[in-house]
């Protein structure tokens, strides 16, 4: 493709996209960038791609502009159980170890797919959980799937796929978890669909880990084929935030092309057959975690004569890293502040302890709505939805304009499939946000602005079924 845009204009655009959206286009991908910008300009009816680019560069991007750019500059190339070596490691070692360690205690699992595209990856994880957890209903499992492209999220939330999404996928996947629809499409089973929550999140710009967007205390994070599109500086920032979003002993999975000892130096490298994972080892853990017993006896994803092999090397003693601390860990540690202690414990996955600290905060200040809101977020993570709802209602009784409490109630109803109530609570939050300056930071949000929350809610509303009833 012959360039019609000047190198100077392309360079300015590349720098802007890297800073604002997190997408990086080296010289080898300038053709892709120009092609995508032309398509976006045509979509918006601009007379020329140059005029459109100058308009993008001249003013802050609106939510609609980000959506259009992301839809034309990101590639939805994925399928179920893509890179099956990673899923075998997940099935045969990572998940069984977590399940064994939690079965006799809290029975809680939290997994995040960052850059979920059209949903095949998080749904694949949900299918594995369905196979590994016959008593799934007795567990509290979170599978969070985020992406910057709202069109991808809408398709993922629909859960309808063509044959192309099943290329190289074991036959049992389609037979067990999909029903045949019209025009050769396949619709995912409602049980699996319900296990995944889709949400808009910009890894380059948003705050995480954070209780406000449910990105804290993750056991496993999948962030595959995402970091390769970032600048080196942005990739370091994102990995630093992901490090703090994972609990001690938790896992980070990236694509083979993104493996890097330097970038992931804060993690311990764990090599399986055909796949590399990164594990966050507690600072006081001087030895690698022990190998678990034999893998769970379930049919393997694919026939394999050997159990995934595993080697592990801890970061060198005294090795320094420059990854930034997560937002909840940047604050000073003050043991006499129960609210702060609750946040710190929640961010580390110590939910029972976090709830205790919240109780102390409420006893010391019963009329503070923020204490009740914080308790609600922790109770929801513990799977105590009814108690979380009551805490949110107490927060709103004390402060009817508490935006994040309205947003949290909407998310709670969304997780329950009560779309009518979801819309009402989100509408209440949007109405309150319209009264605030776009750059105003919301209380209890870990740095989230009013404008950003408005974009997140608007994106979430687009993924709801259009025919959702307004009753519960």
């Amino acid at each position: 493709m012959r360039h019609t845009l000047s190198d100077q204009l392309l360079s300015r655009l590349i720098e802007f996209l890297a800073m604002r959206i997190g997408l990086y286009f080296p010289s080898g991908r300038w053709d892709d960038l120009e092609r995508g910008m032309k398509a976006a300009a045509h979509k918006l009816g601009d007379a020329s791609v140059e005029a459109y680019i100058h308009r993008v560069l001249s003013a802050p991007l609106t939510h609609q502009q980000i959506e259009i750019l992301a839809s034309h500059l990101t590639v939805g190339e994925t399928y179920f159980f893509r890179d099956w070596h990673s899923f075998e490691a997940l099935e045969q070692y990572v998940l069984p170890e977590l399940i064994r360690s939690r079965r006799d205690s809290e029975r809680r699992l939290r997994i995040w797919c960052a850059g979920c595209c059209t949903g095949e990856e998080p749904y694949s994880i949900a299918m594995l959980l369905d196979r590994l957890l016959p008593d799934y209903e007795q567990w509290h499992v979170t599978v969070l799937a985020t992406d910057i492209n709202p069109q991808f999220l809408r398709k993922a939330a629909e859960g309808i796929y063509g044959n192309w999404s099943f290329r190289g996928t074991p036959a049992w996947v389609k037979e067990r978890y999909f029903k045949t629809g019209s025009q050769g499409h396949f619709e995912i089973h409602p049980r699996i669909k319900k296990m995944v929550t889709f949400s808009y999140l910009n890894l380059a710009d948003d705050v995480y880990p954070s209780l406000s967007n449910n990105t804290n205390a993750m056991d496993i994070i999948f962030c595959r084929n995402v970091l390769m599109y970032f600048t080196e500086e942005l990739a370091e920032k994102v990995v630093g935030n992901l490090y703090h979003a994972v609990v001690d002993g938790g896992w980070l999975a990236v694509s083979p092309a993104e493996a890097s000892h330097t970038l992931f130096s804060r993690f311990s490298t764990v090599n399986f057959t055909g796949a590399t994972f990164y594990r966050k080892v507690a600072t006081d853990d001087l030895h690698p975690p022990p190998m678990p017993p034999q893998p769970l006896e379930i049919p393997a994803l694919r026939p394999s004569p050997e159990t995934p092999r595993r080697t592990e090397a801890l970061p060198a003693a005294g090795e320094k890293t420059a990854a930034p601390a997560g937002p909840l860990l940047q604050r000073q540690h003050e043991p006499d502040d129960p609210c702060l202690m609750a946040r710190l414990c929640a961010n580390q996955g110590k939910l029972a302890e976090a709830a205790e600290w919240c109780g102390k905060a409420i006893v010391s200040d019963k009329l503070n709505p923020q204490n009740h809101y914080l308790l609600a977020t922790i109770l929801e993570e513990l799977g105590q939805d009814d108690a979380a709802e009551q805490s949110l209602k107490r927060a709103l009784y004390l402060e009817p304009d508490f935006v994040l409490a309205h947003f949290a109630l909407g998310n709670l109803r969304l997780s329950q499939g009560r779309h009518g109530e979801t819309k009402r609570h989100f509408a209440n939050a949007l109405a309150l946000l319209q009264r605030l300056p776009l750059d105003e930071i919301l209380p209890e949000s870990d740095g989230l602005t009013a404008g950003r929350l408005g974009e997140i809610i608007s994106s979430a509303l687009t993924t709801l079924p259009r025919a959702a009833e307004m009753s519960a």
Side-chain angles (χ1 to χ4, degrees):
M1 176 179 173
R2 184 177 179 181
H3 295 304
T4 59
L5 301 174
S6 69
D7 288 354
Q8 182 181 8
L9 184 59
L10 281 173
S11 296
R12 287 181 59 202
L13 178 62
I14 289 164
E15 182 179 0
F16 177 83
L17 292 174
M19 291 288 294
R20 185 64 178 87
I21 304 181
L23 298 178
Y24 177 57
F25 290 85
S27 57
R29 297 189 61 221
W30 282 13
D31 287 350
D32 296 335
L33 174 59
E34 187 168 339
R35 189 181 301 110
M37 295 303 295
K38 285 182 176 179
H42 178 74
K43 173 78 174 179
L44 291 176
D46 280 76
S48 70
V49 64
E50 290 90 348
Y52 173 62
I53 293 173
H54 282 296
R55 184 158 63 87
V56 167
L57 294 173
S58 64
L61 292 178
T62 64
H63 174 71
Q64 181 187 31
Q65 288 174 323
I66 292 176
E67 177 174 341
I68 291 173
L69 278 173
S71 66
H72 288 92
L73 298 179
T74 54
V75 180
E77 177 59 28
T78 189
Y79 48 90
F80 291 101
F81 292 97
R82 182 182 182 184
D83 184 13
W84 64 269
H85 284 297
S86 294
F87 282 99
E88 281 196 326
L90 189 66
E91 177 190 51
Q92 295 296 322
Y93 177 75
V94 176
L95 282 173
E97 182 195 37
L98 282 168
I99 291 169
R100 288 188 185 98
S101 68
R102 303 280 175 81
R103 183 168 291 283
D104 296 327
S105 56
E106 53 190 347
R107 294 199 174 190
R108 180 179 60 87
L109 293 173
R110 289 174 57 77
I111 303 171
W112 175 17
C113 290
C116 67
C117 195
T118 47
E120 287 90 337
E121 180 178 84
Y123 282 140
S124 296
I125 294 172
M127 293 175 207
L128 282 190
L129 290 169
D130 183 73
R131 284 155 56 84
L132 291 165
L133 287 174
D135 57 345
Y136 177 84
E137 296 299 328
Q138 299 176 28
W139 288 69
H140 182 60
V141 179
T142 296
V143 181
L144 174 67
T146 65
D147 202 277
I148 192 177
N149 189 327
Q151 291 187 16
F152 288 171
L153 293 172
R154 283 193 286 272
K155 177 175 174 55
E158 289 175 356
I160 299 174
Y161 299 91
N163 275 316
W164 190 241
S165 291
F166 297 91
R167 56 195 187 277
T169 302
W172 59 261
V173 171
K174 190 185 294 184
E175 295 168 359
R176 187 178 303 180
Y177 293 114
F178 290 83
K179 64 178 181 180
T180 303
S182 60
Q183 300 179 340
H185 289 91
F186 300 88
E187 184 174 354
I188 199 162
H189 194 286
R191 182 178 76 257
I192 302 301
K193 186 176 181 180
K194 186 180 179 181
M195 293 169 65
V196 182
T197 300
F198 293 97
S199 180
Y200 180 94
L201 189 135
N202 184 344
L203 288 171
D205 201 34
D206 284 332
V207 176
Y208 57 95
S210 173
L211 290 168
S212 63
N213 55 22
N214 200 27
T215 54
N216 63 300
M218 290 293 168
D219 295 303
I220 307 170
I221 297 178
F222 268 61
C223 186
R224 303 195 302 168
N225 301 301
V226 176
L227 298 173
M228 65 176 66
Y229 297 111
F230 292 164
T231 62
E232 181 179 349
E233 293 78 12
L234 180 57
E236 290 177 354
K237 172 189 172 184
V238 169
V239 170
N241 287 342
L242 294 178
Y243 177 84
H244 289 289
V246 177
V247 297
D248 288 346
W251 301 83
L252 172 65
V254 299
S255 70
E258 296 166 319
S260 166
H261 174 72
T262 302
L263 188 59
F264 304 104
S265 60
R266 303 194 73 176
F267 292 88
S268 173
T269 302
V270 185
N271 296 313
F272 299 97
T273 300
T276 298
F277 280 52
Y278 295 95
R279 193 169 198 185
K280 180 178 177 179
V281 180
T283 54
D284 58 351
D285 190 350
L286 301 179
H287 302 284
M291 278 291 289
Q294 290 297 315
L296 293 183
E297 294 182 2
I298 61 172
L301 286 176
R302 297 178 184 234
S304 177
E306 59 179 333
T307 300
R309 61 180 172 82
R310 172 178 179 269
T311 60
E312 186 169 277
L314 295 175
E319 185 174 25
K320 295 184 179 296
T321 57
L328 294 184
L329 298 180
Q330 290 173 340
R331 307 175 185 183
Q332 294 298 316
H333 186 82
E334 295 291 346
D336 59 346
D337 183 345
C339 188
L340 177 56
M341 291 301 298
R343 286 179 166 275
L344 292 173
C345 289
N347 203 44
Q348 296 166 8
K350 302 174 182 177
L351 298 182
E353 189 175 344
E356 290 180 6
W357 280 109
C358 272
K360 295 178 181 179
I362 291 172
V363 168
S364 65
D365 190 357
K366 294 184 177 64
L367 300 182
N368 187 336
Q370 296 178 358
N371 292 340
H372 295 282
Y373 166 77
L374 180 57
L375 177 60
T377 63
I378 294 167
L379 290 172
E380 187 175 358
E381 285 192 31
L382 286 167
Q384 300 178 26
D385 288 357
D386 291 342
E389 178 184 350
Q390 292 305 313
S391 289
L392 288 172
K393 287 181 176 179
R394 291 189 191 99
L396 288 172
Y397 175 80
L398 294 168
E399 187 177 334
D401 291 349
F402 197 161
V403 176
L404 282 183
H406 286 288
F407 176 56
L409 268 174
N411 278 329
L412 181 61
R413 291 295 183 245
L414 179 61
S415 69
Q416 298 168 338
R418 297 164 66 171
H419 296 142
E421 291 189 34
T422 298
K423 287 185 175 183
R424 283 201 294 272
H425 292 304
F426 281 174
N428 290 337
L430 287 174
L432 291 169
L433 289 170
Q434 289 176 355
R435 307 176 191 172
L436 303 175
L438 294 178
D439 59 352
E440 181 170 326
I441 295 177
L442 301 171
E444 299 302 296
S445 70
D446 300 308
L448 186 68
T449 64
R452 191 71 195 90
L453 181 59
E455 293 175 352
I456 292 171
I457 294 174
S458 297
S459 178
L461 285 169
T462 65
T463 67
L464 294 178
R466 292 190 174 92
E469 298 293 334
M470 293 303 290
S471 59

